[in-house]
Each structure stands twice: as structure tokens, then as C-alpha cells.
Amino acid sequence: IEPDSLPNLSTNRGDPRCGNPATVAAYTEGIAYAIRSIASATRSVTIYLDAGHGGWLGWKNNMQDFVKTIRGLGVAQHLRGFATNVAGYQALGEICPEYDWCLPSQQHSG
């Protein structure tokens, strides 16, 4: 399941387009609903959830917030694991030149 929104909640809650209560509720309730619906429809499906990429969740505070968000969904028992580098790609072994360079809210030239 690739919502691209759950990692975004962990890095951009300060942005009113991402962190407002209606958006947060839509993402968290919608993803939980999708996971429960798929899991209840068949037991033969293996579900992996999008976990962004290192530019989003590569910092301890972002990862901790993401884990808290996932736990809050109440669907961990239905997940086999996580898929990364799905929506936003960051090359393996590529180091961000500055601590915040890979974050989606930053504008960079070059």
C-alpha cells in the first residue's frame, strides 16, 4: 500500500496543507480502513506499507513519529513489513549534503 502520506505526516505536520486535523484524519483513517478491508477480504494477501525513504525518515525524530503514527492506526497485525523508495526515490548510499537537503519541504537549486 503506497499512500505516500504517512511518512509525509511525520516530516511536514507544521505545514498547514499536511498537518491540519482534517488531512491527518483523512490519511490515518483512510489508510487504516484500506488495510483492514484488504486483510478481511482475504488471508492470502501479504501487505507491505510505504515507509518513504531515508530523506524523509532518516532522522531519529522523524522515524519515531512515523512509528507512533503506524502504531496509532491499530493495524500492525495485518502488516508483513514496509516498502521504501517507492514514491520518492533516494539512491542507496547517497548522502544528503546537508541535514535537511532531502526533505520534501526544502527548495534546492542544482
Side-chain angles (χ1 to χ4, degrees):
I1 299 176
E2 196 280 287
D4 198 34
S5 53
L6 296 179
N8 199 26
L9 290 180
S10 297
T11 59
N12 291 312
R13 285 218 189 209
D15 184 322
R17 296 169 296 173
C18 302
N20 70 70
T23 299
V24 172
Y27 284 159
T28 55
E29 292 170 17
I31 296 307
Y33 174 78
I35 292 169
R36 283 190 200 103
S37 296
I38 293 168
S40 68
T42 179
R43 291 189 139 319
S44 62
V45 170
T46 302
I47 302 174
Y48 290 85
L49 186 62
D50 176 37
H53 59 74
W56 277 9
L57 301 179
W59 287 268
K60 191 178 230 179
N61 61 330
N62 290 346
M63 180 56 77
Q64 289 171 336
D65 188 77
F66 182 71
V67 169
K68 181 180 171 185
T69 299
I70 299 305
R71 286 184 175 152
L73 296 177
V75 296
Q77 70 277 16
H78 301 300
L79 299 176
R80 171 79 181 261
F82 297 92
T84 60
N85 268 347
V86 176
Y89 179 77
Q90 181 181 13
L92 223 46
E94 182 179 319
I95 298 174
C96 297
E98 301 166 21
Y99 78 95
D100 64 348
W101 188 83
C102 296
L103 297 178
S105 63
Q106 302 298 315
Q107 296 292 325
H108 300 281
S109 62

